[in-house]
Amino acid sequence: MKQHIKNLDTFRAIAAIVVMIGHIELFRLQKFGSEFFYFMPSGHTAVMLFFVISGFLITYLLTQEKERYGQISLKAFYLRRIFRIWPVYYLVLLVSAFLVDSLSWSNVLFAVTILPNVSHSIGCGWSGSPQIWSIGVENLFYIFFPFVIMFIREERIPMLLILFIVCYALLPHFIAFTNVRILQNETLEMINNKFFYNNKFDTLAIGCLIGYLYAKNHTWLKYLYNRYVFFVCLFVSIVCWFGHIETKHFNDEFMSVLFSVVILNVCTNNNLKINIENSVTKFLGKISYGIYMYHWIVLFMAFKLFPLTKSIGSMVVLYCFVIGVTILFAWISFETIEKYFLNLKKKFER
């Protein structure tokens, strides 16, 4: 029951490229104390875009599977996730282990069990490829989420997702208030500041909500399939993202809601007839997982191989090398490792 959703590859490509450039700028900032592209959108927010895309697509497919067969095959679902995620993940883990200055048993254990988000949350993430924290967030979320589609009554799922999103977003603020006024516990403060910031289950749930509404052709869609709502969300998301405008609280959730409305309309609203796909974005979207996973290793190579300075010429070399080599590695990975396991994954598609 594999279905291509138009324009989704373009959103994947945007998210992957923004994360890669954001990390190039992070390296530059750490080495030279300055940024080259100030107006580049936030790489962290690009990860929220990835989460919304992932939640949207997986929920749509799970809901369609249940509608078609009357049930969800957990075995098939987990195997599809394993074949898609694990091969590249463990390859990157193995290669990047040589880039890590020192390893602790807890660090290795969390990384090997695909829970790098846990070590990242307590300040000892996988420094050879720290971006893998988001894979841990998705992995943990999708261990439990299929049970929501399987066992919760259909009419209750949207409200349950909204309740989860609101409670998860508010909980750290409640904990902070309680801790400051009553408990004053340093451990609780660390958990509050680190865990919730680095485990954005609510942004995944926002993507799940729009995926469910689309899959069920829910009546709420008539309020979201509105060109004025769409253009306002598109405009605000671009201005905030590129202009580095952030709300003091709930910024990730706010941006994820904007992204979800934009994705829903661009990818599924036939009345708008928007097409943002072309051969380049489809190609980059297809290899976006590899771009996301390999770029930190390539970045490390660049700073080891080249005597980089703050000059324009040096920055051009850096950008050309990192973007070009990352895309090359991602393409080779897709055509060899990923395609092999994607073919195995197809055996478990329903």
Side-chain angles (χ1 to χ4, degrees), residues 20 88 91-92 95 99 283-284 286-302 305 320-339:
M20 177 168 54
V88 171
L91 175 62
V92 167
V95 174
L99 311 180
F283 169 72
L284 292 175
K286 182 177 68 174
I287 65 170
S288 59
Y289 181 48
I291 293 173
Y292 183 80
M293 292 298 288
Y294 294 120
H295 75 272
W296 193 275
I297 295 172
V298 178
L299 251 172
F300 186 88
M301 289 169 51
L305 291 174
C320 289
F321 179 83
V322 173
I323 293 174
V325 174
T326 298
I327 291 174
L328 176 63
F329 281 5
W331 173 69
I332 293 172
S333 172
F334 184 84
E335 292 295 329
T336 54
I337 301 168
E338 292 175 62
K339 264 193 176 178

Side-chain angles (χ1 to χ4, degrees), residues 309-323:
T309 66
K310 295 173 69 173
S311 69
I312 298 295
S314 181
M315 291 308 98
V316 170
V317 169
L318 174 63
Y319 268 85
C320 289
F321 179 83
V322 173
I323 293 174

Side-chain angles (χ1 to χ4, degrees), residues 137-298:
V137 175
E138 289 199 27
N139 184 64
L140 193 57
F141 185 84
Y142 290 128
I143 288 175
F144 303 103
F145 181 69
F147 294 98
V148 173
I149 305 296
M150 290 174 64
F151 298 119
I152 303 298
R153 288 172 57 180
E154 290 184 356
E155 64 272 16
R156 293 181 179 176
I157 290 177
M159 290 308 300
L160 177 66
L161 286 170
I162 291 173
L163 183 63
F164 173 81
I165 293 163
V166 172
C167 289
Y168 192 89
L170 290 176
L171 187 57
H173 299 280
F174 174 76
I175 292 174
F177 177 83
T178 305
N179 194 40
V180 169
R181 295 297 180 92
I182 303 172
L183 301 175
Q184 296 181 339
N185 186 302
E186 291 183 3
T187 302
L188 189 62
E189 183 179 357
M190 185 194 74
I191 292 172
N192 190 55
N193 291 337
K194 295 291 185 179
F195 178 81
F196 286 99
Y197 181 77
N198 291 303
N199 293 277
K200 290 296 180 178
F201 299 126
D202 51 350
T203 61
L204 275 161
I206 290 169
C208 294
L209 177 61
I210 62 166
Y212 187 81
L213 296 179
Y214 172 55
K216 301 299 291 184
N217 194 24
H218 201 280
T219 55
W220 291 359
L221 287 178
K222 65 182 178 183
Y223 302 108
L224 298 173
Y225 281 162
N226 181 297
R227 65 176 61 248
Y228 300 108
V229 171
F230 163 65
F231 283 116
V232 167
C233 289
L234 178 63
F235 176 77
V236 173
S237 62
I238 291 173
V239 170
C240 290
W241 198 14
F242 281 79
H244 296 199
I245 300 171
E246 297 185 355
T247 60
K248 185 176 181 180
H249 302 295
F250 311 115
N251 188 71
D252 291 340
E253 292 77 13
F254 174 66
M255 292 299 297
S256 296
V257 169
L258 295 178
F259 287 152
S260 68
V261 175
V262 171
I263 289 170
L264 184 66
N265 278 277
V266 172
C267 297
T268 71
N269 189 349
N270 294 323
N271 292 327
L272 289 177
K273 297 180 180 179
I274 295 174
N275 182 24
I276 57 174
E277 275 188 341
N278 55 59
S279 57
V280 174
T281 60
K282 288 178 73 172
F283 169 72
L284 292 175
K286 182 177 68 174
I287 65 170
S288 59
Y289 181 48
I291 293 173
Y292 183 80
M293 292 298 288
Y294 294 120
H295 75 272
W296 193 275
I297 295 172
V298 178

